[in-house]
Amino acid sequence: MSDTEPFAAVDLIRVKRDGGTLSPAQIDWLIDAYTRGHVQEEQMSAMAMAIYFQGLSDPELVRWTQAMIRSGERMDFASLSRPTVDKHSTGGVGDKITLPLVPIVAACGAAVPQLSGRGLGHTGGTLDKLESIPGWRAHLSNAEMLAVLDDVGGVICAAGSGLAPADRKLYALRDVTSTVDIIPLIASSIMSKKIAEGTSALVLDVKTGSGAFMSDTARAVELARTMVALGRDEGVRTRALVTAMDVPLGVAAGNALEVAESVDVLAGGGPADVVELTLLLARHMLELVGINADPAEAIASGRAMDHWRRMIRAQGGDPDAPLPQAPIVETLTADRDGIITRCDALAIGRAAWRLGAGRATKDDPVSASAGIEVLAKPGDEVRAGDPLLRLHAEDAARLEAALPLLAGPESAVVVSPPGTAYSRLPLVVDIID
Ligand code: URA
């Protein structure tokens, strides 16, 4: 402990390591001292590991989240005439829902300040998807963001470095110390960013199933409950839907492919599961802010598409420009008649990643055009020769790297004899509020 510091990190680590409780003042100090670099990375990684084994009590978690919020700026949208509402998804394969959802909800009269991130590993990032639109830029100043929000009613942009900087440091540290997978730290990480973003209401889409970051359903439900409680404590009307991610969402998994599918949804088409989940989340968002409007009508009238086009243009993008297309396209077909009994989200996400759609480390580039179209899902009957997957890649080496995940005994897609039973999660597993 120095003359000017009220605590020493080593003492607080010992308290948590031995199963004790950190006081509010200790938590405030720890997060603040870590953000300003006084608490060292190795000390915070020991603390994260102590929390991994000992957990945080509910009051500790609330205080931890508050301290993370206070580590940076808190946006204020009080000047807007519309109520603010946002959605956060824990991410999955083919999860492009934010893209059609934001303009739909904006067209219904709410303001949606969607501060997003990039993808890491097998799940895609919203910004990576939008960056496949020629000219579109992710980074806006706070003033630019507010102007787009005020004018269009929805904005999707990169979260600035001033938002919950403690989380930025801690998340990177957790990533390399095997301490990501802890419900209180995940909940406080996500909710500190969303609360600092200044939204008045929030709908969480917590994914469960093989392609989700929280694959076990009981743990996904626990994460959802924890986040809803944190939102409520901070005065943000929060509701969580726990939804299926055992099978990829929609047809497209890959950046430009997902933009194209999102535009299809806004044009009144698109895969049934993407449309259903988008409309469901939109209805929950509108209900939380007391807006009585029909999101399906916003699509049918063309207003949602109009909002999309304005939103893309406001960030330099050309909504009419052709999207990048991969030079190599290969279709994998069924080798027999039968029924699809498996279409595994994780394997398809990994294959899309190997094709170039995702990144391994946070500074890797991504391919805009790479990805997979999933043409058959569990329960679909197929004939030999029917297309199952269409792969898009920029070069042959990428294609070769992805193929082992998609063929052979551990194949992502399995065709079984007609009549074989299959199981898949319902689209909505639980709703928590
Ligand atoms: N996403 C986040 O933002 N934080 C976590 O801790 C995990 C997922």
Side-chain angles (χ1 to χ4, degrees), residues 70-108:
R70 274 201 305 271
S71 71
E73 62 181 327
R74 191 165 176 163
M75 313 275 295
D76 181 3
F77 297 122
S79 63
L80 295 177
S81 54
R82 310 151 171 243
T84 48
V85 58
D86 196 8
K87 185 251 354 183
H88 177 81
S89 163
T90 57
V93 180
D95 183 1
K96 72 281 293 171
I97 301 291
T98 295
L99 273 52
L101 182 67
V102 172
I104 290 170
V105 175
C108 290

Side-chain angles (χ1 to χ4, degrees), residues 30 53 75 80 126 132 144 148 182 199 227 235 318 332 335 353 362 377 381 388 411:
L30 180 70
F53 288 110
M75 313 275 295
L80 295 177
T126 299
S132 64
E144 286 174 320
V148 181
I182 317 171
T199 187
M227 292 197 288
D318 177 357
L332 304 187
D335 58 359
W353 175 69
K362 69 179 174 41
K377 298 274 183 80
E381 287 177 8
L388 300 180
S411 172

Side-chain angles (χ1 to χ4, degrees), residues 183 206-210 212 214-225 242-246 425-426 428-430 432:
I183 286 180
V206 180
K207 300 289 186 196
T208 182
S210 74
M214 196 56 69
S215 54
D216 177 68
T217 297
R219 277 174 55 78
V221 169
E222 190 188 338
L223 175 63
R225 284 192 204 291
V242 179
T243 69
M245 187 35 71
D246 52 338
L425 290 168
V428 179
V429 175
D430 207 347
I432 289 150

Side-chain angles (χ1 to χ4, degrees), residues 171 174 180 185-186 189-190 193 213:
Y171 195 15
R174 287 165 55 215
V180 169
L185 292 189
I186 299 169
S189 165
I190 293 173
K193 285 176 283 203
F213 142 81

